[in-house]
Amino acid sequence: MAETSPNPFIFPSYLPFSSTFNRFSQWRAELGLPNPGTVENLQKEVKATHLTNYAFDGGRADLTKSMSMNPLFQVTHSFALGSQSMPPSYNFGAIYASERVFLQGGVDHEGNVSARCNQGWTANHVSKMQAQISQQPGHNLLQLEHDYQGSDFNLNLKAANPWPTDLTGIFVGSYLQSITKNLALGTECVYQRPTPTTSDLVATYLAKYTSSDKSWIATAQIQPAGILQATYWHKLSEKVEFAADLQLMASPIRRDALATLGAKYDLRLSTFRAQLDSTGKVSALLEQRFTPTFAFLMSGEIDHFKNSAKVGVGVMIESSALSNEELEAQMMAMQQQQQQQSFPAPS
């Protein structure tokens, strides 16, 4: 294999310390460390196994119309009613996705508008924008974000509701670096400046360990204030996944803990998720897909300590002239695009 030389146009030899930096960069490249992924997706596998982002109660219906496959363009009508925690709602959404651009927008029956735009400039640089216009005061959001993926690290910068005149807003910077082929360490800093005279800085230290065969992943997040979150995900087989989540708070004013266990079982046309946590809640979700264009969902939760229960029933119907193979490819592309979590709107 031919030896790679440093790029002289980026670090010319006459610059101070350029020779040392180039040798260090070449040594890092020879290690062959993998990209650790983003901090935002640090617990991606655990969240895909647990029910937190999937459980619902009441009735729900999602009607989707696919217009084209390449580029992807579809519209969705979503209905929800009968929930114990949420009022009845209707949402109209549209998605456009090409090789480098992802656009998503939605509006509900109350006039709340949300939008998201991802622009991939190169294979390493991605810029993101997220906006939300709400009828409720304090729930409007504008988030600007840029993500850079290096060969063995990931750097992300965010700004939520920034105001350039007085520099108020929420600013987040995260960095995750592969130390070995299995271990990655990093940090995330959140700087909040709600007014020009008040500010707060919170740092979180991150660790991620991935097995050599990528069958299990363990993560940890620690804050100096006494907050710890640890997760463990294990792929037992091609169809069975297990995940555990532990959250501890040991501050002088509050001591609390929450443990959650969950499992996911994938069949050819269905997915079953089950979850149990230390608060006495037992929940399950079944997604049965009878055809590529029709799916039936049933969600249930029992809280033994509060002696309460929730049940949800839903359907997903897609109208499309695409073939079954194109629909399956579209579903996989949609799942990859949806593996991004929204930044919480400031209260």
Side-chain angles (χ1 to χ4, degrees), residues 20-337:
T20 302
F21 183 85
N22 288 333
R23 286 199 299 268
F24 176 74
S25 300
Q26 184 176 358
W27 171 75
R28 275 179 51 187
E30 292 174 351
L31 293 177
L33 299 178
N35 184 283
T38 64
V39 173
E40 187 177 27
N41 293 328
L42 187 69
Q43 304 167 356
K44 177 183 65 175
E45 294 80 6
V46 174
K47 294 177 181 178
T49 303
H50 286 173
L51 296 176
T52 306
N53 297 328
Y54 301 95
F56 65 97
D57 64 324
R60 195 183 84 179
D62 298 324
L63 309 179
T64 303
K65 174 68 174 180
S66 296
M67 307 297 182
S68 66
M69 179 62 187
N70 190 14
L72 174 65
F73 178 65
Q74 68 178 31
V75 296
T76 303
H77 303 270
S78 300
F79 305 86
L81 71 160
S83 173
Q84 299 181 18
S85 57
M86 301 292 292
S89 63
Y90 163 75
N91 183 278
F92 173 79
I95 292 178
Y96 173 87
S98 62
E99 184 177 355
R100 291 190 175 183
V101 178
F102 175 77
L103 301 175
Q104 182 180 17
V107 58
D108 64 14
H109 65 285
E110 295 182 347
N112 301 318
V113 180
S114 62
R116 175 180 295 179
C117 174
N118 295 356
Q119 172 66 55
W121 307 104
T122 65
N124 305 98
H125 290 272
V126 179
S127 296
K128 304 176 184 179
M129 186 275 293
Q130 182 178 340
Q132 177 179 311
I133 302 176
S134 176
Q135 301 294 332
Q136 302 180 8
H139 287 263
N140 295 322
L141 171 69
L142 174 63
Q143 175 183 298
L144 305 176
E145 178 180 355
H146 188 79
D147 189 42
Y148 177 73
Q149 295 187 9
S151 59
D152 59 355
F153 70 93
N154 188 278
L155 176 65
N156 180 272
L157 299 174
K158 294 180 185 177
N161 290 342
W163 196 254
T165 56
D166 54 8
L167 299 179
T168 58
I170 302 176
F171 306 92
V172 182
S174 61
Y175 181 81
L176 193 61
Q177 170 72 57
S178 291
I179 306 302
T180 67
K181 292 185 177 181
N182 303 102
L183 178 64
L185 301 177
T187 183
E188 181 179 61
C189 296
V190 180
Y191 179 72
Q192 302 185 52
R193 200 165 187 260
T195 64
T197 58
T198 59
S199 62
D200 184 30
L201 177 63
V202 177
T204 303
Y205 303 99
L206 314 166
K208 178 181 180 181
Y209 189 90
T210 306
S211 64
S212 300
D213 58 356
K214 302 186 185 304
S215 63
W216 62 270
I217 300 174
T219 69
Q221 300 185 43
I222 303 176
Q223 291 185 12
I227 301 176
L228 167 66
Q229 182 177 10
T231 66
Y232 176 78
W233 173 84
H234 198 141
K235 190 176 184 65
L236 301 177
S237 67
E238 291 296 326
K239 298 181 179 180
V240 182
E241 299 178 14
F242 169 82
D245 184 3
L246 176 63
Q247 301 180 32
L248 297 175
M249 179 178 291
S251 63
I253 60 176
R254 181 181 177 185
R255 294 180 179 271
D256 197 4
L258 175 63
T260 305
L261 301 177
K264 184 178 76 166
Y265 190 83
D266 289 317
L267 297 173
R268 189 173 67 90
L269 291 175
S270 63
T271 300
F272 178 75
R273 292 179 174 90
Q275 181 174 300
L276 169 68
D277 63 30
S278 58
T279 63
K281 294 181 181 179
V282 180
S283 53
L285 173 68
L286 173 65
E287 178 182 342
Q288 176 66 52
R289 186 167 291 276
F290 296 99
T291 67
T293 59
F294 177 75
F296 174 78
L297 295 87
M298 177 164 285
S299 175
E301 178 186 285
I302 300 177
D303 192 330
H304 290 87
F305 292 170
K306 296 182 180 180
N307 195 22
S308 62
K310 297 179 181 179
V311 177
V313 177
V315 294
M316 293 190 300
I317 302 175
E318 182 171 353
S319 174
S320 175
L322 305 178
S323 63
N324 293 342
E325 291 77 9
E326 291 175 328
L327 288 172
E328 293 178 357
Q330 176 178 302
M331 290 172 56
M332 294 179 61
M334 289 295 303
Q335 291 175 356
Q336 293 177 358
Q337 294 288 353

